Amino acid sequence: MDIQSFKSSLKSGQVGGLYLFCGEEDYLVRYYLKSLRERVAPDEAFAVFNNPVFDGEDIDFAQIIEAVKAPPMMSDYKLIEWRHADFTGLREGQLEALEELISVLAEHPYSIVAFTADDGCVDFGSAKKPSAFIKRFEKQINILRFEKSTENQLYAWLKKHFDHHGVEVNLDTVKTLVFRSGRSMDVLAGEVEKLCALALSRGRSTVTPDDVNEVASSTPECDTFALSNAIIERNKAKAYFALEDMKLRRVDPTVIMGMVARTFDDLAAVSHMLDDGLDSAKIESALNMNKYKLKIYIPAAKNYGTARLGKIISDLAVADAGSKYGGVTGYTAIELFISKNL
């Protein structure tokens, strides 16, 4: 079952049978399960009767069947939920119990069952060779699989969330937010709330990349953001301060060095393209770089110069090799690199 078909069934009220919500995007799993719950059993006063909830990897099919047979209270439907189920290790007897559950549901159309399964708890096989479970049940169960969203899907999703709050954003803003706060929809939803509150409290209806950099939480990878800014500014004092802060938070030195390398690689790429006479629009397209990021990288690349950036990247390679083969390692290696190259 695809998402569009599910949405259509909710709208028309043509819901029923057994649903399985699963995949990598936990936020979407919970969101669409909530949509089904609100459609089927909206009255929370009768939730104990019309929305019994069970939890655990090991499914008790007998318990679910008993709940299915009990009629709803003051409602046309009831929804039985089993959260965090694991379908990967079901033995033949349990698979037969699942088939019995599907049969019992057909006899009691007022009951609907919804399972949620964490990522990896359903064996799908592959597109060319579906698993035995999928072959056996794909026509009997409404399976909704939420795979990891692409960047463009995340950007569109974020835009809708900002729109819901009456706050405008452009593509640069949502790209900056994903870069800074990561790809978790749970985290991003909270950041949208925070950013909208900030903008509205300041009498604005727009969130900018500067707002994101001011208040949005950063991922562990983006914890190195202050150091990256110091590199771009060629500000040695700021670099040492940022590194000291990361020491206190015990950020892995290899993560820091990786960020430093990526920053200089990007600066070198921008510098080479500027030397070749490319304008910012062509550089943005060629590198698929955030426009806001490119705006600050162009003057930084000019400040360093192509020759110096090449030498710095060479020094980084030497430092990396040294750390792996008995040279200076950890924060000390980063401190030495900063003292020499900024």
Side-chain angles (χ1 to χ4, degrees):
M1 187 179 207
D2 60 37
I3 302 302
Q4 200 54 50
S5 298
F6 177 69
K7 289 180 179 178
S8 297
S9 69
L10 287 180
K11 189 174 181 179
S12 65
Q14 300 299 311
V15 293
L18 194 153
Y19 293 84
L20 170 55
F21 300 86
C22 55
E24 296 177 85
E25 288 289 9
D26 293 337
Y27 179 93
L28 294 179
V29 167
R30 293 196 306 274
Y31 176 83
Y32 284 104
L33 173 59
K34 180 183 176 184
S35 299
L36 178 62
R37 185 186 308 124
E38 291 173 345
R39 185 68 178 82
V40 174
D43 194 338
E44 293 185 5
F46 295 99
V48 66
F49 303 105
N50 298 334
N51 185 209
V53 178
F54 306 98
D55 199 308
E57 294 182 355
D58 297 325
I59 307 165
D60 187 335
F61 290 104
Q63 190 174 27
I64 299 175
I65 289 173
E66 183 179 347
V68 166
K69 292 178 179 178
M73 177 75 71
M74 304 294 288
S75 175
D76 293 330
Y77 296 101
K78 65 184 296 186
L79 176 67
I80 300 100
E81 298 179 31
W82 191 291
R83 301 175 183 172
H84 307 294
D86 187 351
F87 289 86
T88 57
L90 296 183
R91 297 181 297 277
E92 180 57 32
Q94 293 169 302
L95 294 171
E96 290 174 0
L98 177 55
E99 289 174 328
E100 181 186 356
L101 170 59
I102 294 168
S103 177
V104 171
L105 278 168
E107 298 169 1
H108 299 80
Y110 53 73
S111 287
I112 297 168
V113 172
F115 288 99
T116 67
D118 298 333
D119 184 38
C121 288
V122 179
D123 180 11
F124 284 91
S126 64
K128 291 184 178 180
K129 190 176 181 181
S131 68
F133 177 83
I134 294 299
K135 287 180 179 179
R136 186 165 175 172
F137 290 102
E138 64 179 341
K139 294 182 180 179
Q140 302 182 66
I141 299 176
N142 299 308
I143 302 176
L144 291 102
R145 184 183 185 185
F146 301 96
E147 299 185 86
K148 208 68 176 175
S149 300
T150 65
E151 286 195 349
N152 286 337
Q153 287 172 330
L154 270 182
Y155 299 154
W157 176 80
L158 282 167
K159 179 70 167 58
K160 288 181 181 178
H161 271 58
F162 280 108
D163 288 344
H164 175 74
H165 291 280
V167 174
E168 296 179 6
V169 290
N170 59 24
L171 184 57
D172 283 341
T173 299
V174 293
K175 281 186 174 182
T176 302
L177 180 55
V178 172
F179 168 74
R180 182 165 178 80
S181 298
R183 299 173 58 88
S184 166
M185 284 183 161
D186 285 314
V187 172
L188 289 171
E191 295 303 324
V192 169
E193 298 276 351
K194 184 198 304 181
L195 287 162
C196 289
L198 173 75
L200 295 173
S201 70
R202 293 176 175 177
R204 293 191 281 113
S205 60
T206 302
V207 169
T208 68
D210 288 333
D211 295 327
V212 174
N213 289 325
E214 179 184 351
V215 301
S217 302
S218 60
T219 61
E221 183 181 49
C222 200
D223 277 336
T224 55
F225 195 72
L227 179 55
S228 179
N229 279 344
I231 289 170
I232 291 166
E233 296 173 18
R234 290 188 69 175
N235 189 317
K236 196 174 293 187
K238 280 188 179 180
Y240 283 132
F241 182 83
L243 182 60
E244 192 62 32
D245 178 60
M246 285 185 281
K247 281 185 187 179
L248 293 173
R249 289 183 286 117
R250 298 183 180 179
V251 179
D252 189 339
T254 59
V255 171
I256 301 173
M257 189 61 87
M259 181 281 305
V260 171
R262 284 194 297 276
T263 300
F264 278 111
D265 284 343
D266 285 345
L267 285 170
V270 170
S271 186
H272 280 292
M273 290 184 178
L274 288 171
D275 289 347
D276 290 339
L278 275 67
D279 60 21
S280 60
K282 290 181 179 178
I283 295 173
E284 179 187 351
S285 176
L287 298 179
N288 194 26
M289 185 177 285
N290 181 301
K291 185 181 292 185
Y292 175 82
K293 180 178 176 181
L294 181 60
K295 183 179 177 181
I296 60 176
Y297 270 50
I298 286 177
K302 291 178 179 178
N303 187 19
Y304 276 100
T306 304
R308 179 165 177 76
L309 286 168
K311 177 66 168 59
I312 289 171
I313 291 172
S314 177
D315 287 348
L316 272 170
V318 171
D320 181 60
S323 67
K324 293 175 180 175
Y325 300 105
V328 179
T329 61
Y331 298 116
T332 302
I334 301 168
E335 289 169 348
L336 289 173
F337 175 82
I338 289 171
S339 68
K340 181 179 178 182
N341 292 288
L342 263 61

